[in-house]
């Protein structure tokens, strides 16, 4: 019996002691069609049904394990235990009642950690299952043999797409030792009064866009009001270290009729004492003041 050290152990009995031994060769992902955390899911498996999955992950990333991974669980129909002794490890996930919402970032992070552990612990190969018996990673509706009655919507369209675009590639890159980027988005809807022709550093929710040694790829999007059509808008990122500033290139945009929507992008690398900032200037007709009405920064960072 194998228990993932990264999950909370909530053993479901008597199933955990009485069900057959399997040799785990697959991970199959599910959605629960219920907004249940790990403890609620455990209570349901324990008290209300003799079905169960090996794992469940809540919206906040909390991961629970109910059955050892070398014991059969019941979520995958014919893949629970095949005649050759192999079987699938199953993971349920908190969802809305229609199984239409995407996994949260915290859920995907936990699914990736689970996928990496299964690769290391049980040698599950780093590929998407090519048939219902093929060792690898998949989700419930991929093969009719995995679902009672031959078909299911589980885990939903949004999560099936996330499996292919984020979760499975994340398992592969993490298992190979590549660092995963962290995503961050910050916005600020408080108006900032701007003087024409004067650079001003914009804060978002935090004082700095990023802090410390790492690689970043960020985009700032601004909504500007009060600029005459054709006015020049400039933005630049800079690294701050003590009092030293290292400026990136100036990026130039032009104001349009009504609100102006301007975007500024930069990739770069920072050292341990650096913070990343963005500043803006615009040259308005007759030197009139203008307003930053909305600002958002979004990006990926790899800590070094
Ligand atoms: Zn399912």
């Amino acid at each position: 019996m194998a228990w993932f050290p990264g999950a909370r152990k909530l053993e479901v009995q008597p199933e955990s002691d009485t069900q057959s031994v399997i040799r785990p060769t697959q991970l199959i992902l599910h959605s629960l069609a219920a907004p249940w955390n790990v403890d609620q899911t455990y209570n349901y498996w324990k008290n209300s049904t003799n079905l169960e999955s090996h794992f469940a992950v809540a919206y906040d990333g909390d991961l629970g394990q109910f059955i050892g991974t070398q014991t059969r669980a019941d979520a995958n129909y014919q893949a629970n235990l095949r005649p050759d002794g192999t079987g699938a490890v199953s993971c349920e996930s908190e969802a809305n009642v229609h199984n239409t919402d995407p996994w949260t970032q915290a859920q995907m992070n936990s699914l990736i950690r689970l996928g990496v552990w299964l690769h290391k612990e049980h040698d599950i190969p780093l590929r998407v299952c090519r048939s219902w018996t093929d060792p690898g990673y998949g989700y419930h509706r991929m093969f009719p043999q995995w679902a009672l009655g031959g078909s299911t919507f589980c885990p939903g369209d949004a999560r099936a797409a996330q499996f292919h675009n984020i979760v499975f590639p994340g398992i592969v890159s993490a298992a190979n030792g590549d660092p995963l980027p962290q995503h961050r988005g910050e916005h600020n809807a408080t108006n900032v009064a701007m003087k024409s022709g004067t650079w001003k550093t914009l804060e978002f929710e935090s004082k700095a866009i990023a802090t410390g040694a790492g690689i970043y790829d960020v985009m700032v999007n601004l909504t500007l009001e009060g600029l005459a059509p054709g006015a020049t808008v400039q933005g630049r990122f800079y690294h701050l270290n003590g009092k030293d500033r290292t400026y990136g290139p100036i990026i130039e945009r032009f104001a349009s009729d009504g609100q102006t929507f301007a975007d500024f992008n930069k990739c770069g690398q920072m050292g341990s004492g650096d913070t990343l900032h963005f500043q803006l200037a615009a040259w308005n007709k007759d030197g009139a003041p203008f307003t930053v009405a909305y600002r958002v920064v979004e990006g990926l960072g790899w800590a070094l």
Side-chain angles (χ1 to χ4, degrees):
M1 294 229 293
W3 296 83
F4 177 31
R8 284 200 292 136
K9 183 176 176 179
L10 296 164
E11 192 165 12
V12 172
Q13 293 289 13
E15 289 88 338
S16 186
D17 283 345
T18 58
Q19 291 185 163
S20 324
V21 169
I22 62 167
R23 186 167 64 78
T25 57
Q26 296 168 324
L27 172 63
I28 300 177
L29 302 181
H30 298 260
S31 288
L32 199 51
W36 290 350
N37 64 29
V38 167
D39 295 287
Q40 288 169 303
T41 304
Y42 168 67
N43 285 329
Y44 182 71
W45 294 154
K46 194 173 61 164
N47 301 323
S48 305
T49 172
N50 61 355
L51 301 176
E52 72 288 314
S53 59
H54 291 95
F55 293 90
V57 61
Y59 284 139
D60 65 1
D62 185 29
L63 183 68
Q65 183 173 0
F66 314 113
I67 302 275
T69 50
Q70 287 154 307
T71 302
R72 192 200 84 211
D74 293 327
N76 312 297
Y77 191 40
Q78 293 184 54
N80 295 335
L81 169 62
R82 284 177 283 257
D84 65 357
T86 65
V89 173
S90 47
C91 183
E92 280 289 358
S93 53
E94 184 171 5
N96 67 22
V97 295
H98 304 294
N99 274 353
T100 52
D101 56 344
W103 281 310
T104 65
Q105 185 66 51
Q107 277 179 309
M108 291 193 286
N109 291 346
S110 290
L111 291 173
I112 289 168
R113 288 191 296 113
L114 172 61
V116 170
W117 179 75
L118 289 168
H119 170 66
K120 292 184 173 160
E121 182 74 18
H122 296 308
D123 264 338
I124 294 183
L126 295 172
R127 65 173 181 241
V128 177
C129 297
R130 298 165 297 185
S131 71
W132 79 278
T133 58
D134 187 39
Y137 296 79
Y139 49 87
H140 198 183
R141 73 186 197 198
M142 282 177 85
F143 299 103
Q145 294 90 344
W146 290 355
L148 196 63
S151 77
T152 174
F153 180 67
C154 172
D157 291 343
R159 294 178 182 199
Q162 286 176 313
F163 171 84
H164 289 289
N165 296 333
I166 302 172
V167 174
F168 180 69
I171 292 169
V172 174
S173 65
N176 288 330
D178 303 331
L180 280 178
Q182 295 297 305
H183 169 266
R184 215 172 78 213
E186 292 194 356
H187 64 93
N188 197 321
T190 308
N191 285 0
V192 180
M194 298 287 295
K195 282 184 197 157
S196 179
T198 305
W199 288 99
K200 186 179 179 99
T201 296
L202 300 177
E203 290 176 4
F204 294 83
E205 291 168 17
S206 312
K207 264 192 158 353
I209 293 170
T211 302
I215 294 167
Y216 62 85
D217 181 357
V218 297
M219 169 84 84
V220 165
N221 289 85
L222 303 176
T223 303
L224 307 173
E225 292 176 351
L227 286 172
T232 302
V233 180
Q234 295 183 348
R236 62 184 171 186
F237 293 85
Y238 63 92
H239 297 176
L240 183 64
N241 193 327
K243 290 190 168 169
D244 294 336
R245 291 185 178 196
T246 309
Y247 287 102
I250 290 176
I251 303 160
E252 195 160 67
R253 300 284 181 250
F254 295 97
S256 55
D257 259 334
Q259 291 182 319
T260 294
F261 303 98
D263 62 294
F264 305 90
N265 175 241
K266 189 173 187 299
C267 307
Q269 180 167 348
M270 299 197 302
S272 60
D274 289 342
T275 53
L276 177 65
H277 304 268
F278 173 79
Q279 63 178 197
L280 176 77
W283 285 261
N284 207 4
K285 193 169 178 238
D286 302 327
F290 65 100
T291 303
V292 179
Y294 188 74
R295 54 199 192 274
V296 59
V297 60
E298 192 157 26
L300 297 175
W302 292 259
L304 292 176

